[in-house]
Amino acid sequence: MDEMKRTPKILDGIAIAGQIKAEVAVEVQALASRGITPGLAVILVGEVPASQIYVRSKVKTCGELGIFSEMLTPPESISTDEMLALVADLNAREDIDGILIQLPLPKHVDTKRLLEAVSPDKDVDGFHPINAGRLQSGQPGLAPCTPAGIMEILRRSGLPVAGQNAVVVGRSDIVGKPAAMMLLNASATVTVCHSKTADLGSFTREADLLVAAIGRAGFVTADMVKPGATLIDVGINRVTEAAEVEEFFPGDADRAATFAKRGSVVVGDIHPAAFAHSGAYTPVPGGVGALTIAMLMQNTVTAAKLRRGISLGNK
């Protein structure tokens, strides 16, 4: 097929998230018939406006799906020991299946100690070392929400993973490493690249499936992409300079209007010009980010089932 005539498939994260939430609502109803209500506790420390928006969205979605949620809002002055006591209390509560600590935490709080203090069986973020180990060894458990969302996009869009050359750009514990492990578990041949990789383009141009999660606006350019590849863009970067908006979105009246109104636009880690060369891609916004809350809801229900010995196949 002539590359100029190829029409890339847009992978609609919002629509896929809607499917997942509808399925979770059915699972919640099935648990309710057995007298079980999955419960999620969200800890939000201090007054961080962006975090408040995320948390409100999570709590709202819980309500829509029939999941019990409790929001705890300790002051920014809270100590690590006081936070540990709060987590211990939630670990002990039978009505709480999932515990989510909204990051970032104040600098004086030991984030690593706190995340490891959450019971692995209630760790709906999938960050605990025990859950990382379960993921690596292919055991049922709670996987990080964003990489799990990536796998759902691929699966529900009918895109091949087994036998594909997959390249993950980024090696964070939250996205890069678990995404690489999930792709490996799904029988892809996986290469992990990062900011220190020499000649990055030589790897990305070989990728049938490219996951960009490095946190740099437009970092993967059109010349770094294999024609017809599937591009999964995890990045959410705010661009606040008019020149950058014009560079990333030349002639895009909608983006220009958004920039004029808000003073910023969002761009992913893949340069938008690269999408025209792809076979399929996730837009930013409306792609991977839309899946994160849906997968958090799924993890909360999964935790409720695993804690009670209910088969995960029994939806």
Side-chain angles (χ1 to χ4, degrees), residues 87 91 99 101 113-120 122-124 128:
V87 169
N91 281 340
I99 300 169
I101 300 171
R113 267 184 77 194
L114 270 177
L115 294 178
E116 291 191 9
V118 174
S119 164
K122 296 188 177 189
D123 165 40
V124 285
H128 196 286

Side-chain angles (χ1 to χ4, degrees), residues 128-281:
H128 196 286
I130 286 178
N131 283 325
R134 285 172 178 158
L135 175 62
Q136 183 176 322
S137 56
Q139 296 176 47
L142 300 170
C145 297
T146 300
I150 291 169
M151 299 309 291
E152 286 297 323
I153 288 173
L154 295 170
R155 184 173 74 81
R156 291 169 188 259
S157 303
L159 293 165
V161 176
Q164 298 286 290
N165 267 342
V167 173
V168 179
V169 183
R171 54 178 165 178
S172 72
D173 292 338
I174 294 170
V175 181
K177 288 178 190 172
M181 191 55 61
M182 288 178 197
L183 289 164
L184 192 59
N185 288 346
S187 301
T189 301
V190 182
T191 303
V192 179
C193 300
H194 43 78
S195 59
K196 301 285 194 295
T197 299
D199 193 8
L200 180 65
S202 67
F203 295 97
T204 58
R205 278 188 287 273
E206 295 298 315
D208 305 308
L209 173 56
L210 178 63
V211 178
I214 201 164
R216 297 188 191 178
F219 184 72
V220 176
T221 51
D223 64 328
M224 294 167 69
V225 170
K226 178 181 183 177
T230 295
L231 306 180
I232 304 293
D233 194 343
V234 183
I236 301 176
N237 308 289
R238 291 212 169 272
V239 173
T240 56
E241 299 291 330
E244 284 187 295
V245 177
E246 183 56 31
E247 182 210 328
F248 289 128
F249 307 106
D252 187 329
D254 288 345
R255 299 275 182 166
T258 300
F259 180 71
K261 183 179 173 185
R262 297 185 183 164
S264 69
V265 294
V266 173
V267 66
D269 290 351
I270 299 175
H271 195 293
F275 295 140
H277 303 286
S278 71
Y281 70 92

